[in-house]
Amino acid sequence: RRSERAASATSVEVKRAEVDAEARRWQAREEEDLRREKEEAALRQLEEQKPPGEDRSFIQALVALRKRYLESDPEGLATCLQTLRAYINNLARNPAEPKFQRINCENAAFRTRV
């Protein structure tokens, strides 16, 4: 009789452990789904905030620069990207300033660095 009760108690403990494990797996799936939904919502919000007509051509150009010059001229690539960052920072800090709204491509510093 005792062995039956012990076996029954062990069986109940095993079932309880299985149920607990399943509950933890379900909770982990729910948390992952929630995290993914939040991430997707944040991306959608960023897309909605993007000005009309904005595209990814600038990012694609930077990626192309990196691919082309990373191996052959890493120092030149670094100089180029630092120069572009300076131009972008100047525009971001002073958006109404006309001298930061255009780049003179004939400028010697621009031609050398970029």
Side-chain angles (χ1 to χ4, degrees):
R1 190 97 168 122
R2 275 188 184 178
S3 63
E4 288 177 16
R5 277 189 278 187
S8 177
T10 302
S11 172
V12 168
E13 290 173 8
V14 168
K15 285 289 187 190
R16 186 173 294 146
E18 290 173 355
V19 168
D20 288 347
E22 180 61 29
R24 284 191 298 276
R25 284 191 296 272
W26 181 83
Q27 184 176 4
R29 280 193 303 268
E30 287 294 312
E31 288 172 357
E32 177 62 22
D33 288 346
L34 181 60
R35 184 198 61 76
R36 192 176 308 117
E37 287 175 11
K38 285 180 179 179
E39 188 176 287
E40 289 170 359
L43 288 174
R44 279 193 305 275
Q45 186 177 14
L46 284 174
E47 284 295 318
E48 291 169 2
Q49 292 174 353
K50 192 167 36 170
E54 183 181 323
D55 58 24
R56 300 184 53 85
S57 61
F58 180 72
I59 294 170
Q60 291 169 343
L62 291 176
V63 169
L65 273 173
R66 184 175 187 272
K67 284 181 182 177
R68 183 170 178 184
Y69 295 106
L70 184 62
E71 295 289 323
S72 64
D73 187 11
E75 289 180 19
L77 176 63
T79 300
C80 172
L81 295 177
Q82 289 169 353
T83 303
L84 291 174
R85 183 177 66 190
Y87 280 108
I88 293 167
N89 284 339
N90 286 339
L91 179 61
R93 288 187 194 117
N94 307 290
E97 185 72 37
K99 71 178 181 180
F100 295 130
Q101 294 175 357
R102 294 190 182 269
I103 297 174
N104 178 5
C105 296
E106 300 304 317
N107 179 303
F110 178 81
R111 293 180 68 78
T112 303
R113 295 177 183 167
V114 177

